[in-house]
Every structure is written in C-alpha cells, then in structure tokens.
Amino acid sequence: MKPISLHGKLYLIPTTLGEMIPDDVLPQTIKRSIDFIDHYIVENEKTARKFIKSVNPDKKQPSLKISILNKRTEESEFNEFIKPIFDGYNIGLMSEAGCPGVADPGAAIVKIAHDKGIQVVPLVGPSSILLAMMASGMNGQSFAFNGYLPIEKGEKKKALKDFERLSQEKNQSQLFIETPYRNNKLIEDLLVNLNGNTHLCIACDITLPTEFIKTKTINDWKKQKVDFHNRPCIFIIHKM
C-alpha cells in the first residue's frame, strides 16, 4: 500500500523469539504495521512469510516484495533494498528472531536510512538481550552485550577472563551468546575458567513455554547437571 507522503518510512518490526502465538508477546502495532506494509527486508524469506501470515492470515502473500539481507548479501545491494522508500513505499525490516538492528545485520540498513534522511520507526517487541538482563538480577544500570565468543579454545578462555575482570572492575554485567549446538561446551568452559564466586545467568527459550532463567554462582552451577543443546540462550556473567 502506497502512503500519502512523498517518502516512505523504515519500520523496525520485532518478531517472536520462537514458535509462539504472536498475540501473546507482540502488541497490536505490529499487526497494524504489517497490514499496510508490502515491502520487507528480512534474513530468511520462508520464515518471514510464515511470520507475516501468523500475524495477518489475510495478507496476500503474492503482494509482498521481499529483499534478503544475510551474511551473503553484498553491501552494494543495500541501496537497492531501500529504493522503494523514495517511491513513497514503507519498508518493514525484520530480524530472524527478536528486534531488528540489535545483534542483527539489519543495523546496516538502519544506518543507511539515517544517512539518507529516512524516518526510522522502531516498534515494540521482545528483545532476548533485555529480557535476559531484566530477569538476571544483575546490574541493569551498566551492562555490555559482546555477541559471540571466539571459537578457538585459548582465545575463548582469554575472552571469558577479560569479561569476568571487566564485570568486577566496572561493576558491569557482561552478556554473550553462542551457536545453540555449542551451548553445553560453552557452559563447560565457563565452569572451568571462571571464579567460583562469579555469578552466571543462563536465560534460555525466553518467552517460550520451555523458558528457563536462573542466576547462580559458578560453584552452584557445578552442582547442577544442565543440558541446553540446540536451545537459544543468553549468558550473563558478573563477578561481584
């Protein structure tokens, strides 16, 4: 649907964090936006179409114009993605899960929008990073999201020690993630390399029926057998 204004806007549309009924975790502004937006920039076309259909079953799928933004997308394509905005169309930017632009390749599109004077409209929705931080009991006044840890064993150990040190020196909680099939190995590394009194929060399957969020010291985690294989997790550490 073409808006009345000369230029369209870039809408940042949050999605669910897993297989959830959208109405359970998303406000009605998401549905209202999807109702009038036909152009989208997404990570995965199949899951994006499925999400749009779950939010608005009456949305005509053939009318959707979808551009794919992932690690294989060339930067030279970005300007073409947002071109419909200058023809008066709104564009919806969607992450594969959660909030676009946060730990998400969509940040590059948002930057271009600002550079070109395009209005950016962030919509409310679940952020696994913020939800984990809220539920952790750690320092919500000062925290840092560090993305993925290094894969190489020595580099990973150094990164963990550095984050632990920073958490104590700056009183700043340190968040990071791992590829889900490596979760259990990461937990082993945490238990081996961190101080026994350091606090660790594991927040898994956030907003889903299987949600698990617990904060304990490393020493206490060592007493519990856990299995988070192939489940999306946020990890937070803080040495008090």
Side-chain angles (χ1 to χ4, degrees):
M1 181 182 297
K2 196 167 185 176
I4 297 173
S5 60
L6 182 61
H7 287 169
K9 302 174 185 178
L10 179 66
Y11 285 80
L12 311 186
I13 302 176
T15 63
T16 56
L17 297 176
E19 294 291 331
M20 283 287 292
I21 299 172
D23 286 349
D24 287 349
V25 291
L26 297 175
Q28 284 301 303
T29 50
I30 301 296
K31 182 182 185 306
R32 289 197 294 269
S33 298
I34 286 176
D35 285 348
F36 66 79
I37 296 175
D38 290 330
H39 292 74
Y40 292 90
I41 301 172
V42 307
E43 286 187 74
N44 182 293
E45 181 171 359
K46 182 178 179 180
T47 54
R49 286 183 179 276
K50 182 178 178 181
F51 171 73
I52 290 170
K53 186 174 181 63
S54 70
V55 174
N56 182 355
D58 296 326
K59 187 81 173 179
K60 292 180 171 56
Q61 291 284 326
S63 71
L64 302 180
K65 284 80 175 177
I66 294 180
S67 300
I68 306 301
L69 173 65
N70 56 35
K71 61 184 179 182
R72 292 182 294 276
T73 306
E74 297 291 337
E75 194 172 335
S76 58
E77 300 177 61
F78 293 174
N79 285 325
E80 191 67 24
F81 288 173
I82 64 170
K83 192 174 178 182
I85 285 178
F86 298 101
D87 294 326
Y89 294 97
N90 295 307
I91 291 180
L93 175 66
M94 293 196 302
S95 171
E96 185 64 9
C99 296
V102 179
D104 170 71
I109 300 297
V110 178
K111 182 181 183 302
I112 290 175
H114 285 296
D115 291 344
K116 295 184 176 295
I118 296 167
Q119 183 177 348
V120 177
V121 183
L123 301 180
V124 176
S127 162
S128 58
I129 295 170
L130 289 179
L131 292 171
M133 195 65 237
M134 289 164 58
S136 70
M138 298 189 191
N139 190 2
Q141 297 288 344
S142 179
F143 58 90
F145 177 67
N146 298 286
Y148 290 94
L149 295 176
I151 295 176
E152 197 276 323
K153 186 176 181 180
E155 292 179 2
K156 183 191 294 183
K157 178 180 178 180
K158 182 180 184 303
L160 289 174
K161 287 290 189 182
D162 287 345
F163 294 149
E164 184 179 50
R165 176 181 51 79
L166 282 172
S167 71
Q168 185 175 41
E169 290 179 355
K170 296 187 174 184
N171 188 25
Q172 182 184 68
S173 300
Q174 302 292 319
L175 296 80
F176 44 89
I177 54 177
E178 181 55 284
T179 305
Y181 72 83
R182 293 196 188 110
N183 282 340
N184 289 344
K185 180 63 175 72
L186 173 58
I187 293 171
E188 289 177 15
D189 292 336
L190 292 167
L191 299 186
V192 168
N193 292 300
L194 298 185
N195 185 282
N197 293 323
T198 293
H199 285 76
L200 164 65
C201 175
I202 302 177
C204 179
D205 293 343
I206 298 175
T207 73
L208 303 182
T210 52
E211 180 178 86
F212 176 99
I213 305 175
K214 285 192 182 298
T215 298
K216 301 180 179 183
T217 65
I218 292 295
N219 280 337
D220 285 338
W221 278 113
K222 288 178 179 178
K223 301 172 187 175
Q224 179 177 350
K225 184 173 177 60
V226 296
D227 181 7
F228 296 104
H229 182 67
N230 272 348
R231 297 168 67 185
C233 293
I234 299 280
F235 301 91
I236 313 174
I237 62 172
H238 199 141
K239 186 176 182 183
M240 308 298 184

